[in-house]
Amino acid sequence: MDTYITHYLRLVISEQLSLKVNEPAAITIENLSTALFCTPRNVKFILRKLEAAGFICWQPGIGRGHHSKLTLLKSMDEVMEDHFLGLISNGKMKEAVELIGSLESSDWNGVIRQRLLRLLNQQMGFHSHMETSSGQDVLRMMRSRRLGDLDPASVYTAFETYLLGQICNTLLTFDAQSGTFQPSLAHSWECSEDYKMWVFYLRKGVRFHHGRIMTSADVQSTWQRLHDMQSPSLWLYRDIEHTELDGDYCIRFYLHQPNRFFLHLFSCIPMTILPYDVDSSNQLIGTGPFQIGELNNEVLVLRAFDSYYGLRPLLDQVYIWFVPDLGSQHRYYELQGTDRLKNSANDETPTDIDYPALGCQYLLFNFQKPGVHHHPHFRQALRMVYDSAALVAELGENLIRPASSFLPWRSVQQHWSEASLDHAHPLLDSSGYQGETLILSCTANKDMRVAHWIQQRAAAIGLHIEVAASIDNLQPEETSFADLIMAEEILEQDWQYGMIHYFKTSSNQFNACCMSPEQISILDDKLEPFAQLDEPDRISLLNEAEDILRRNCWILHGAHVNKRAQLNQSLSGLQTSDFGFMDISKIWIKQ
């Protein structure tokens, strides 16, 4: 907090001075020195600063026996609100949130805290600046963690993948409702009868954000970049032998072996088309509806791309502030989950939109670390502790259905009843557990409630668990210290791609820091023929691979999750995209 504001607040709250706004009070320098915690010499300097800032009126007494007069011109609420709005207008969102957090829950501080929270809410969400000639429509939102990797070749988390879908485009898009592929940067495609040669015909006139027209050389360069960077997704593209350009708007892929899954690989984020003449590791340039206007540790600004080949976004700018100290109580400022987006000029009651996520929360074992969790009886005992039916019954809220699979339609096929913890005791004893403490890693904003529930149930059978929470989503290498890891997997609308990507990407927690080489080898052997199979056989293979996880308790499925957004009724064009986030390129504000 600025020093002069601190000085002013000391004057306002001083019980000895008992000052009231707009009421002149006789006062001495000695009294002010005590209230301001400074020497009498510095009092006059501080008073001049406060008067110049318009906070007070100071009339020094002239001559012996004449008291000076001090008049407060602003209430504490006004000072705090002005300072708070000044921080926000200068983009100092972290400092603004820290100011709210610094206000303790005393009577007057509690009132100001609520006022500042309301102001913060008014600054977030959708705003239509119709008073300007440009009529800019702006979305402002906050994330309670830092921005993760925004490189399509190595992106790891759902929100960053979603953002890439707003900045970049793929050759095709997958329509989940019809289960078909739709044109995007490629307007047409075909393959040979043996599925060993695929050709894509590109749209003409598609521009990158830096102005150049996209050509087949950019597609070839994007594919080559996956190789050069050793992308974690490279296994999925292993069948490609070489590419051949047929002019600026046609590219052919020649394969080592048939691949019936090939189209899925060109509608997913790793193959978002990037320009060959820009180092995308330092500057992300795409062809999507939004381009990056500003990016640093605190804020990402997206601006509508006027030359977008499709329909220009109806929003003009999107501000996303990253405030790791935001805390779980303020998650409603985000775009997903318990979001609260509103038009500040219209205080209508928000409309709730529910969309069950494709995927589930689950528990991982760190098999790359020695410990009792390598014994199958221990994992079976923990399966009873982390019982899916009991989890949903006791915690409820956004945990809407017990999970035995990442896929909700597989989970509903199972008959559910709560497991008895009495059956876990003999399994724990036979596992060789000696009373040691196991570390459970989790993300504070998403998993803390469930982690403490597991900890309490484990204690009931004599199992000691210590919860280690992080504000940010931890990268895989940052969880290597833990024995158990709380995780959540939200799949793309193209769920077949989402599942095979989960099993085969080298960068997620499952493969990078949990599965042993022997376990990975078993899954690799099972999934080896995946791309050569027709769709029904691919689905069966994915089910068999997940059965291996469930049968051996290599992971423990927990619960399917419901995402809820609270959206103002003046918003139109609401559509969900991958991972349940709102497609901001379609949203507009109804005046």
Side-chain angles (χ1 to χ4, degrees):
M1 193 182 304
D2 290 348
T3 304
Y4 68 88
I5 293 180
T6 302
H7 289 318
Y8 188 73
L9 294 182
R10 285 173 177 168
L11 294 178
V12 173
I13 66 175
S14 172
E15 294 183 0
Q16 179 185 4
L17 300 180
S18 299
L19 299 174
K20 296 181 180 180
V21 178
N22 294 322
E23 292 186 13
I27 205 161
T28 66
I29 294 294
E30 288 73 19
N31 293 145
L32 292 172
S33 175
T34 301
L36 294 172
F37 300 101
C38 67
T39 65
R41 181 177 180 180
N42 285 333
V43 166
K44 295 181 180 180
F45 173 78
I46 293 171
L47 293 176
R48 285 196 297 269
K49 289 289 186 181
L50 291 176
E51 191 166 32
F55 285 5
I56 65 169
C57 177
W58 170 246
Q59 295 176 301
I62 301 175
R64 185 180 298 272
H66 292 84
H67 284 290
S68 301
K69 289 187 178 181
L70 176 68
T71 307
L72 302 181
L73 300 181
K74 291 187 176 183
S75 68
M76 186 168 10
D77 290 2
E78 291 177 297
V79 172
M80 295 296 284
E81 288 180 13
D82 289 348
H83 178 55
F84 182 73
L85 291 174
L87 291 174
I88 292 178
S89 64
N90 290 318
K92 297 181 178 180
M93 195 59 59
K94 184 175 185 295
E95 289 88 338
V97 173
E98 288 174 346
L99 176 61
I100 294 177
S102 69
L103 298 174
E104 298 176 358
S105 57
S106 61
D107 291 341
W108 62 270
N109 266 348
V111 173
I112 295 177
R113 178 185 173 90
Q114 291 304 313
R115 289 172 68 95
L116 297 188
L117 281 171
R118 283 196 294 271
L119 282 174
L120 181 62
N121 183 57
Q122 290 170 5
Q123 295 301 311
M124 293 301 103
F126 293 88
H127 297 254
S128 185
H129 301 290
M130 298 306 295
E131 67 276 9
T132 66
S133 59
S134 60
Q136 293 276 299
D137 287 338
V138 179
L139 163 64
R140 302 188 185 111
M141 58 179 172
M142 299 173 69
R143 296 286 295 176
S144 56
R145 64 172 177 81
R146 297 174 181 85
L147 181 66
D149 190 356
L150 261 188
D151 191 318
S154 54
V155 64
Y156 168 65
T157 45
F159 183 71
E160 284 70 17
T161 302
Y162 155 75
L163 288 178
L164 285 169
Q166 301 290 321
I167 300 167
C168 304
N169 291 116
T170 50
L171 294 184
L172 319 171
T173 59
F174 180 76
D175 180 20
Q177 290 188 337
S178 64
T180 60
F181 293 93
Q182 301 297 320
S184 185
L185 296 180
H187 66 83
S188 187
W189 55 89
E190 57 192 24
C191 69
S192 61
E193 290 185 4
D194 61 0
Y195 295 95
K196 293 177 66 175
M197 192 278 290
W198 291 80
V199 56
F200 296 93
Y201 301 96
L202 308 183
R203 292 184 187 274
K204 296 181 179 180
V206 175
R207 290 191 180 276
F208 286 107
H209 298 153
H210 67 332
R212 183 175 59 75
I213 296 290
M214 182 200 71
T215 69
S216 55
D218 297 299
V219 180
Q220 185 183 55
S221 172
T222 299
W223 146 241
Q224 185 60 46
R225 185 173 183 269
L226 294 182
H227 263 284
D228 295 342
M229 294 188 61
Q230 287 297 295
S231 168
S233 303
L234 199 55
W235 182 91
L236 297 172
Y237 300 87
R238 61 184 179 148
D239 290 339
I240 298 176
E241 184 178 78
H242 70 277
T243 60
E244 182 181 285
L245 303 186
D246 187 2
D248 285 344
Y249 299 104
C250 178
I251 183 169
R252 302 176 191 275
F253 289 85
Y254 293 89
L255 314 183
H256 293 289
Q257 60 184 343
N259 191 315
R260 297 169 183 264
F261 193 67
F262 202 67
L263 293 182
H264 294 263
L265 307 184
F266 287 82
S267 64
C268 64
I269 286 297
M271 268 303 292
T272 52
I273 306 305
L274 303 174
Y276 68 78
D277 55 348
V278 175
D279 182 357
S280 297
S281 299
N282 297 322
Q283 183 181 13
L284 181 62
I285 289 178
T287 60
F290 288 97
Q291 60 184 320
I292 294 178
E294 181 182 350
L295 175 59
N296 55 52
N297 290 333
E298 294 188 352
V299 67
L300 168 64
V301 181
L302 300 178
R303 296 195 174 98
F305 182 40
D306 291 332
S307 298
Y308 180 51
Y309 79 93
L311 295 176
R312 182 199 184 278
L314 298 165
L315 286 174
D316 298 294
Q317 295 189 79
V318 179
Y319 287 78
I320 307 170
W321 279 283
F322 302 98
V323 187
D325 298 328
L326 188 62
S328 58
Q329 69 269 34
H330 303 310
R331 289 190 67 207
Y332 52 79
Y333 298 123
E334 302 181 14
L335 191 62
Q336 184 201 43
T338 54
D339 310 338
R340 187 179 180 187
L341 306 180
K342 60 182 290 183
N343 179 353
S344 65
N346 188 343
D347 200 21
E348 297 174 7
T349 301
T351 299
D352 285 348
I353 297 180
D354 293 332
Y355 36 94
L358 188 58
C360 71
Q361 287 187 357
Y362 64 105
L363 193 65
L364 281 164
F365 296 93
N366 184 358
F367 290 107
Q368 296 181 21
K369 179 182 178 182
V372 68
H373 56 283
H374 285 259
H375 199 291
H377 285 179
F378 178 87
R379 300 197 299 276
Q380 291 168 18
L382 197 59
R383 171 71 283 178
M384 296 177 183
V385 170
Y386 183 54
D387 180 66
S388 299
L391 175 67
V392 173
E394 294 182 24
L395 296 188
E397 295 185 8
N398 66 320
L399 306 177
I400 57 174
R401 187 179 300 115
S404 59
S405 164
F406 290 123
L407 306 173
W409 52 87
R410 291 200 73 196
S411 297
V412 297
Q413 297 173 3
Q414 179 169 330
H415 173 71
W416 292 99
S417 59
E418 293 187 26
S420 171
L421 286 178
D422 293 337
H423 297 151
H425 280 284
L427 288 169
L428 189 63
D429 292 339
S430 63
S431 72
Y433 178 67
Q434 299 296 316
E436 62 269 31
T437 297
L438 278 72
I439 299 175
L440 171 59
S441 173
C442 71
T443 304
N445 286 349
K446 293 194 298 184
D447 308 321
M448 185 69 82
R449 187 170 64 106
V450 176
H452 284 156
W453 180 83
I454 293 173
Q455 184 182 45
Q456 292 170 4
R457 283 175 62 88
I461 64 168
L463 171 58
H464 305 297
I465 289 179
E466 176 185 337
V467 175
S470 170
I471 293 176
D472 283 337
N473 285 339
L474 289 173
Q475 296 296 315
E477 63 273 11
E478 296 176 298
T479 57
S480 59
F481 69 92
D483 305 284
L484 314 169
I485 301 168
M486 288 292 305
E488 180 178 288
E489 187 67 21
I490 305 298
L491 301 176
E492 291 88 343
Q493 293 186 39
D494 182 358
W495 68 265
Q496 287 185 54
Y497 169 80
M499 288 287 286
I500 192 63
H501 186 261
Y502 176 81
F503 281 115
K504 297 305 301 181
T505 183
S506 61
S507 65
N508 62 8
Q509 289 177 321
F510 176 76
N511 285 296
C513 72
C514 288
M515 293 294 103
S516 69
E518 294 77 17
Q519 292 168 321
I520 291 175
S521 179
I522 291 171
L523 292 171
D524 283 349
D525 290 344
K526 169 61 66 176
L527 295 168
E528 176 64 27
F530 176 80
Q532 286 77 55
L533 301 177
D534 289 325
E535 183 172 11
D537 293 330
R538 289 199 304 266
I539 293 174
S540 295
L541 199 64
L542 291 173
N543 289 343
E544 291 171 17
E546 199 175 27
D547 286 340
I548 292 174
L549 301 182
R550 181 170 43 252
R551 187 168 59 250
N552 293 287
C553 290
W554 288 353
I555 72 171
L556 304 179
H557 298 91
H560 296 289
V561 180
N562 180 63
K563 303 294 183 181
R564 171 170 293 177
Q566 289 187 304
L567 302 174
N568 187 268
Q569 295 174 358
S570 63
L571 300 178
S572 298
L574 303 177
Q575 298 180 29
T576 55
S577 59
D578 272 340
F579 311 108
F581 291 100
M582 291 294 160
D583 185 349
I584 55 177
S585 69
K586 304 291 194 301
I587 293 176
W588 60 285
I589 302 170
K590 186 184 296 183
Q591 297 301 322

mmCIF file of all heavy atoms in Angstrom, residues 1 52 60 187 219 406 440:
data_model
loop_
_atom_site.group_PDB
_atom_site.id
_atom_site.type_symbol
_atom_site.label_atom_id
_atom_site.label_comp_id
_atom_site.label_asym_id
_atom_site.label_seq_id
_atom_site.Cartn_x
_atom_site.Cartn_y
_atom_site.Cartn_z
ATOM 1 N N MET A 1 0.846 -1.183 0.000
ATOM 2 C CA MET A 1 0.000 0.000 0.000
ATOM 3 C C MET A 1 0.885 1.239 0.000
ATOM 4 O O MET A 1 1.897 1.277 0.694
ATOM 5 C CB MET A 1 -0.926 -0.002 1.213
ATOM 6 C CG MET A 1 -2.048 1.027 1.136
ATOM 7 S SD MET A 1 -3.078 1.006 2.628
ATOM 8 C CE MET A 1 -3.591 -0.699 2.693
ATOM 9 N N ALA A 52 -1.784 17.903 -0.849
ATOM 10 C CA ALA A 52 -1.592 17.936 -2.304
ATOM 11 C C ALA A 52 -2.389 16.822 -2.974
ATOM 12 O O ALA A 52 -2.857 16.962 -4.116
ATOM 13 C CB ALA A 52 -0.107 17.810 -2.642
ATOM 14 N N PRO A 60 -2.587 25.638 9.603
ATOM 15 C CA PRO A 60 -1.689 25.727 10.768
ATOM 16 C C PRO A 60 -2.045 26.917 11.656
ATOM 17 O O PRO A 60 -2.433 27.988 11.170
ATOM 18 C CB PRO A 60 -0.305 25.908 10.131
ATOM 19 C CG PRO A 60 -0.578 26.451 8.766
ATOM 20 C CD PRO A 60 -1.897 25.899 8.330
ATOM 21 N N HIS A 187 -9.491 -27.373 -46.720
ATOM 22 C CA HIS A 187 -10.901 -27.414 -47.138
ATOM 23 C C HIS A 187 -11.309 -28.792 -47.625
ATOM 24 O O HIS A 187 -12.495 -29.101 -47.731
ATOM 25 C CB HIS A 187 -11.169 -26.363 -48.224
ATOM 26 C CG HIS A 187 -10.452 -26.618 -49.526
ATOM 27 N ND1 HIS A 187 -10.924 -27.473 -50.480
ATOM 28 C CD2 HIS A 187 -9.293 -26.092 -50.015
ATOM 29 C CE1 HIS A 187 -10.091 -27.492 -51.517
ATOM 30 N NE2 HIS A 187 -9.093 -26.654 -51.250
ATOM 31 N N VAL A 219 2.717 -25.987 -43.071
ATOM 32 C CA VAL A 219 2.253 -27.279 -42.561
ATOM 33 C C VAL A 219 3.446 -28.225 -42.424
ATOM 34 O O VAL A 219 3.611 -28.910 -41.407
ATOM 35 C CB VAL A 219 1.174 -27.881 -43.476
ATOM 36 C CG1 VAL A 219 0.698 -29.227 -42.924
ATOM 37 C CG2 VAL A 219 0.001 -26.915 -43.625
ATOM 38 N N PHE A 406 -12.365 -43.030 -17.140
ATOM 39 C CA PHE A 406 -12.388 -41.627 -17.539
ATOM 40 C C PHE A 406 -13.667 -41.297 -18.305
ATOM 41 O O PHE A 406 -14.047 -40.130 -18.407
ATOM 42 C CB PHE A 406 -11.175 -41.305 -18.429
ATOM 43 C CG PHE A 406 -9.866 -41.315 -17.699
ATOM 44 C CD1 PHE A 406 -8.838 -42.134 -18.114
ATOM 45 C CD2 PHE A 406 -9.664 -40.504 -16.589
ATOM 46 C CE1 PHE A 406 -7.622 -42.139 -17.443
ATOM 47 C CE2 PHE A 406 -8.462 -40.515 -15.908
ATOM 48 C CZ PHE A 406 -7.433 -41.341 -16.338
ATOM 49 N N LEU A 440 0.848 -37.100 0.068
ATOM 50 C CA LEU A 440 -0.172 -36.948 -0.971
ATOM 51 C C LEU A 440 -0.073 -35.540 -1.544
ATOM 52 O O LEU A 440 -0.311 -34.555 -0.844
ATOM 53 C CB LEU A 440 -1.569 -37.184 -0.390
ATOM 54 C CG LEU A 440 -2.773 -36.850 -1.293
ATOM 55 C CD1 LEU A 440 -2.737 -37.668 -2.576
ATOM 56 C CD2 LEU A 440 -4.082 -37.079 -0.554
#
